[in-house]
Structures are given as structure tokens and as C-alpha cells.
Amino acid sequence: CKSELKFFEAGIVSVPTIASTTLPFQNAIRRGEDGLLAGSNAEWGACLETLASDPELRTSLGAGAARSALAGFGPDAQKREFLTLCQQLLPGFSPGLAGA
């Protein structure tokens, strides 16, 4: 029952992830672009073998994971989330007032 944060923690340092096909990972990972998903023992074995034998794929998935981590949890994403929350909770708040 790991959250998608495990994917982003690895991704921020360009490490590719193989994750179980739980809903959080399915929502976070774009299979073959920024990570791999495995739903069975056979899929886990195939994913591990593929990553172990394909350095270009490891590099590509790691770079994709880094982009996804920054897009989903980086400073710009956090700023957007914060400003949205401020708009919802503070009457009259405008992102322009915050220098956005």
C-alpha cells in the first residue's frame, strides 16, 4: 500500500520505478514513459529483466520520472496548489496579489 510518493521520490533523482498496479501507481506512472507497472510475478520478472538488460531504457525512464516528479511535486506544482487553496479559503484572494 505504498503511495505514488515512492515513485516521485525515486524519480526526482532519475531512478526508474517498477511498481505494482495499484490505483495510485496507475494514476502516477505512464507505463514505458516514466516507469513500469507489474501486475503479476511474471510481469515483475519481465520488467526487472528488461531494466537490467537495457541501459538506454533505464536512462530514458529515469529522465521521464524526473520530469514527472518535478511536474507533479516540484516548486511550480506546489505554488499552483497553494494559490488554488488560497483562492478557495480566502475571500477576495487573487494570485496577482501574491506576485504570481
Side-chain angles (χ1 to χ4, degrees):
C1 292
K2 299 291 184 185
S3 76
E4 67 275 13
L5 285 178
K6 294 301 175 189
F7 163 66
F8 292 112
E9 288 169 349
I12 200 70
V13 291
S14 301
V15 173
T17 294
I18 303 170
S20 297
T21 54
T22 61
L23 189 57
F25 287 125
Q26 288 176 352
N27 290 334
I29 295 174
R30 295 180 321 252
R31 189 185 303 241
E33 293 180 36
D34 57 11
L36 298 173
L37 294 167
S40 68
N41 288 341
E43 287 179 348
W44 272 96
C47 288
L48 287 167
E49 187 173 318
T50 297
L51 280 184
S53 65
D54 191 339
E56 288 181 17
L57 179 62
R58 285 194 308 271
T59 299
S60 173
L61 290 176
R67 286 189 298 274
S68 292
L70 284 174
F73 288 92
D76 289 338
Q78 295 302 307
K79 179 181 175 182
R80 285 190 303 273
E81 290 286 326
F82 177 73
L83 292 176
T84 298
L85 184 62
C86 287
Q87 285 178 306
Q88 293 171 354
L89 298 176
L90 301 172
F93 177 84
S94 169
L97 298 174

